[in-house]
Structure formats: structure tokens, C-alpha cells
């Protein structure tokens, strides 16, 4: 584009350069390139794609009114274009984020209808996944269960399947199909545990909340603790999954509304199992729970390796908690050099909140 400004392929190359930035999640760079492209090529056939990409950038930057403005422009001029159903899905996402659930339902339904007619099954799968969640939000549980079945029957294996299963679990619980949904969710959690950076916390929390609801008339929380201990034994259990099952069990055992007198022996056994695991395979939250547990038992020196595991990782997750408890441990050591490190650590934590 720069070397050959008069090239007949300038528009195409310019658009795909910008689009690649969208695929790489480089929202700021993509937005600048797309704005320049849209201004320079107002009549180019790729304009509908560029408008959708620009809307996606707005949405990723939480610029919801601007997102809708781009979608409205695309709708006004390119309603028959193949990307229009994708734009409707995005409109539904904006409406959901704004609490306009009924309007979101309408957008997703139309996206699903149009994408089905086009044979664009990827967009159909996205719309169906969102419709499951939308129907649950509207307490239309039977419809939610039907969309869940639609997804499982027609889009099984799609990358959105774990999300669809999680979205559908409340619907299945409320229409008397809880065991079916919970069994499916267990398999999805194991699958997620084999993926890097999967949101296991959300998946396990969704499973636990719906398990308790499904068995609320027969001691749901206590039943769940047993289930977490006896997780499907015919499936290999990834370490991250095992860690989240232990943490979820501990959270329930410590919850006063489920246990008036927390079963301390059972809690201690769960923490012991957790601490025996490879620290590098634990998410920040389980590591934080171990740190607080050890501090509460007066084992401040033992918590330092778990704090260091968090502190040596990229990203901010759990670092304030880890640095605070490590600094407290160093301060209590009586060693002058350690106390200087502790002061530096406390100062760093304090500065973040000033």
C-alpha cells in the first residue's frame, strides 16, 4: 500500500491489512486503519465487511452507541449482504450488554433465520448459543432447552459448545432435565481443562450452582461435595480441573448457609490435596486460597513458594494478595534484609490503591 500507492489492488490490500489487525485483536490499530480505509474507499465492494469490522472494534472497546451506529449504517445500505446476519448477532450482543434482553432475542432470532438461509452455520451456531442464554434470562426455560437441543444436535463439536452447554444448564434444570445437563457439563469441564486459558472458574461455578439448584430438595450442597469427590472416574482428570473441584468443595464446606459447623477435617484434607499438586498448574485463585489458608494456620513461611508462583507470572491476577502476604511473612522473620523487602512490598501494594 505504501510502496505502490497507485496499485489497482490498493483498496483490497488496505482492507485485508486492517482486517488482519482485527483478527489479532489489535483493536486500536485496526480502528485507525479501518477509519482511514472507509474514508478513502466509500464505494468499494468490501465496505460492508469493513463496517462490520469497525463495529467489532467499537464493541471490543466498549463503545456501544458507536457499535450500533455502524450496524445501522450497514443495515441501511447492505441489508442483503452476507455479513448482515453477523451484524445482527453483534447488535444482539450490544442489546444484551445494555439489559435489552427482549430486543436482543429479536436480533438473534433474525440472525439465525437469515444465516440458516445462507447456509452460514458458524453464524447460526453463534446466534443459537446466545439465544439459549437469552431465553434463560427471560425465564423462558422450555424455549431455552429447545435451543440447547438444537445446538447439541446440529453444532456438536463447535468451539462454542462449552458455552452453549453452560448457558443451557439452568434451562434444563428448570424443565426437569437437570441430570442430562449436568452430565454434559461434566464432560465439557474436562474438555476445557485440556485447553490453555479456558475459563474453568466460570464453568465449574455454573455447574456447582445448577447442581445445588437441581438437588435443592435433597441436600444439594452436601450432595455436590460428594459428587465433586467422586467425579467421573472413567475420564482422565486434568490437573486444573481437579484443582477447581477441590476449591469449589472447600468454598461449599466453609459456607455457613450449608454447614453451621464447618467440617474442618474435610477442609484440611482438601487443602492438603491442593498443596500437593504442581503449583505451576494452579490458577491464581486456588493459589490465593492456599496462601490465606497457610497464613491462618500460622505457617507464613510455607506460603512464600505459592506467593512466588503468582508473582513470577505475567499479568496482574492475584499479585496484590500474594505480595501482601509474602511481605507480611518477611516482616515477621526478624531478619533486617527481609524486613526491608517487606516494607518495599507493602509500599508497592499501598501505592496501587492510592
Amino acid at each position: 500500500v505504501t510502496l505502490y500507492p497507485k496499485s489497482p489492488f490498493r483498496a483490497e490490500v488496505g482492507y485485508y491489512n486492517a482486517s488482519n489487525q482485527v483478527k489479532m485483536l489489535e483493536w486500536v490499530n485496526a480502528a485507525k486503519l479501518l477509519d482511514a480505509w472507509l474514508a478513502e474507499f466509500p464505494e468499494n465492494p468490501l465496505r460492508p465487511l469493513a463496517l462490520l469490522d469497525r463495529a467489532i472494534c467499537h464493541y471490543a472497546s466498549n463503545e456501544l452507541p458507536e457499535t450500533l451506529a455502524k450496524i445501522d449504517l450497514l443495515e441501511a445500505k447492505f441489508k442483503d449482504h452476507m455479513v448482515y446476519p453477523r451484524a445482527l448477532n453483534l447488535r444482539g450482543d450490544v442489546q444484551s450488554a445494555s439489559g435489552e434482553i427482549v430486543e436482543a432475542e429479536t436480533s438473534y432470532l433474525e440472525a439465525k433465520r437469515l444465516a440458516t438461509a445462507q447456509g452460514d452455520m458458524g453464524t447460526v451456531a453463534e446466534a443459537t448459543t446466545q439465544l439459549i442464554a437469552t431465553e434463560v434470562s427471560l425465564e423462558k426455560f422450555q424455549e431455552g432447552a429447545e435451543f440447547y437441543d438444537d445446538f447439541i444436535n446440529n453444532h456438536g463439536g463447535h468451539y462454542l459448545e462449552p458455552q452453549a452447554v453452560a448457558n443451557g444448564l439452568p434451562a434444563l434444570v428448570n424443565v426437569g432435565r437437570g441430570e442430562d445437563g449436568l452430565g454434559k457439563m461434566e464432560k465439557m469441564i474436562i474438555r476445557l481443562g485440556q485447553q490453555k486459558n479456558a475459563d474453568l472458574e466460570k464453568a465449574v461455578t455454573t455447574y456447582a450452582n445448577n447442581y445445588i439448584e437441581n438437588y435443592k430438595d435433597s441436600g444439594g450442597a452436601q450432595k455436590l461435595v460428594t459428587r465433586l469427590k467422586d467425579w467421573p472416574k472413567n475420564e482422565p482428570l486434568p490437573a486444573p480441573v481437579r484443582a477447581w473441584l477441590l476449591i469449589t468443595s472447600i468454598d461449599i464446606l466453609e459456607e455457613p448457609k450449608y454447614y453451621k459447623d464447618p467440617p474442618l477435617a474435610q477442609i484440611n484434607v482438601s487443602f492438603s490435596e491442593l498443596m500437593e499438586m504442581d503449583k505451576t498448574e494452579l490458577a491464581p485463585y486456588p493459589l490465593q486460597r492456599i496462601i490465606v489458608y497457610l497464613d491462618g494456620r500460622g505457617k507464613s513461611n510455607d506460603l512464600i513458594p505459592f506467593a512466588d508462583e503468582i508473582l513470577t507470572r505475567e499479568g496482574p491476577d492475584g499479585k496484590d494478595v500474594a505480595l501482601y502476604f509474602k511481605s507480611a511473612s518477611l516482616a515477621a522473620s526478624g531478619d533486617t534484609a527481609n524486613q526491608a523487602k517487606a516494607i518495599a512490598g507493602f509500599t508497592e501494594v499501598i501505592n496501587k490503591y492510592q
Side-chain angles (χ1 to χ4, degrees):
V1 174
T2 304
L3 292 176
Y4 304 100
K6 295 183 180 180
S7 168
F9 304 108
R10 175 180 170 79
E12 288 78 5
V13 172
Y15 166 70
Y16 288 112
N17 184 33
S19 183
N20 283 336
Q21 293 295 301
V22 175
K23 292 181 176 67
M24 294 168 62
L25 312 185
E26 296 288 347
W27 309 119
V28 174
N29 291 340
K32 290 178 181 177
L33 291 171
L34 287 164
D35 284 341
W37 191 94
L38 288 164
E40 186 174 357
F41 303 106
E43 303 300 329
N44 190 277
L46 293 171
R47 191 170 183 82
L49 294 169
L51 285 171
L52 179 59
D53 281 342
R54 189 62 183 95
I56 291 169
C57 291
H58 281 308
Y59 183 72
S61 301
N62 202 33
E63 298 166 352
L64 302 187
E66 293 82 355
T67 306
L68 291 176
K70 287 293 187 297
I71 295 170
D72 289 344
L73 185 57
L74 195 158
E75 182 176 56
K77 295 188 174 184
F78 307 104
K79 197 169 184 178
D80 294 329
H81 196 277
M82 64 179 184
V83 300
Y84 181 54
R86 291 173 57 198
L88 285 173
N89 269 344
L90 184 57
R91 176 182 282 164
D93 292 345
V94 173
Q95 291 163 331
S96 291
S98 304
E100 300 172 355
I101 308 302
V102 173
E103 293 80 359
E105 178 190 37
T106 300
S107 295
Y108 293 135
L109 284 169
E110 183 65 0
K112 188 177 190 301
R113 184 185 72 80
L114 292 175
T116 300
Q118 291 179 358
D120 180 0
M121 300 313 291
T123 300
V124 174
E126 291 170 8
T128 305
T129 301
Q130 296 298 73
L131 279 165
I132 298 168
T134 300
E135 303 308 270
V136 168
S137 295
L138 295 172
E139 296 188 357
K140 295 164 69 172
F141 298 117
Q142 184 58 47
E143 290 86 344
E146 289 170 5
F147 282 121
Y148 169 91
D149 290 336
D150 180 354
F151 189 99
I152 297 303
N153 293 332
N154 297 303
H155 308 287
H158 191 278
Y159 78 93
L160 285 173
E161 186 174 11
Q163 183 180 339
V165 172
N167 288 353
L169 198 47
L172 296 182
V173 167
N174 277 278
V175 298
R177 294 173 53 195
E179 290 190 14
D180 173 28
L182 290 165
K184 187 76 172 176
M185 191 68 187
E186 289 175 358
K187 293 178 181 177
M188 288 298 106
I189 288 170
I190 291 172
R191 201 168 104 189
L192 285 172
Q194 297 165 343
Q195 301 174 10
K196 190 175 182 180
N197 299 324
D199 193 351
L200 273 173
E201 179 177 10
K202 181 179 179 181
V204 175
T205 300
T206 298
Y207 170 83
N209 291 340
N210 282 281
Y211 192 102
I212 291 171
E213 175 65 20
N214 191 61
Y215 296 106
K216 62 184 177 182
D217 295 329
S218 57
Q222 294 78 8
K223 203 178 184 93
L224 175 60
V225 170
T226 301
R227 181 58 178 164
L228 294 175
K229 185 178 179 182
D230 299 329
W231 195 264
K233 300 190 183 298
N234 58 336
E235 298 270 6
L237 200 59
V241 172
R242 183 173 167 231
W244 277 111
L245 299 186
L246 286 167
I247 282 295
T248 302
S249 179
I250 291 167
D251 286 344
I252 294 169
L253 292 170
E254 291 181 337
E255 176 54 56
K257 70 179 179 181
Y258 298 135
Y259 290 89
K260 184 178 180 181
D261 298 311
L264 297 180
Q266 201 170 347
I267 292 170
N268 291 337
V269 168
S270 295
F271 269 116
S272 295
E273 288 185 39
L274 197 59
M275 288 185 287
E276 288 172 1
M277 297 180 65
D278 183 349
K279 292 187 289 294
T280 63
E281 296 193 90
L282 299 182
Y285 180 67
L287 288 168
Q288 289 179 67
R289 291 300 311 273
I290 291 171
I291 290 168
V292 174
Y293 171 77
L294 290 171
D295 181 76
R297 292 176 65 82
K299 296 182 177 181
S300 57
N301 287 335
D302 293 346
L303 67 80
I304 291 178
F306 297 98
D308 284 339
E309 176 59 34
I310 294 177
L311 294 170
T312 55
R313 295 180 182 180
E314 295 182 3
D317 287 356
K319 287 196 171 178
D320 291 346
V321 171
L323 184 56
Y324 172 82
F325 281 99
K326 179 179 179 178
S327 298
S329 177
L330 293 173
S333 69
D335 180 81
T336 302
N338 282 343
Q339 290 178 337
K341 293 177 183 177
I343 292 171
F346 285 135
T347 302
E348 183 178 338
V349 173
I350 291 169
N351 288 341
K352 287 184 179 180
Y353 293 93
Q354 285 184 333

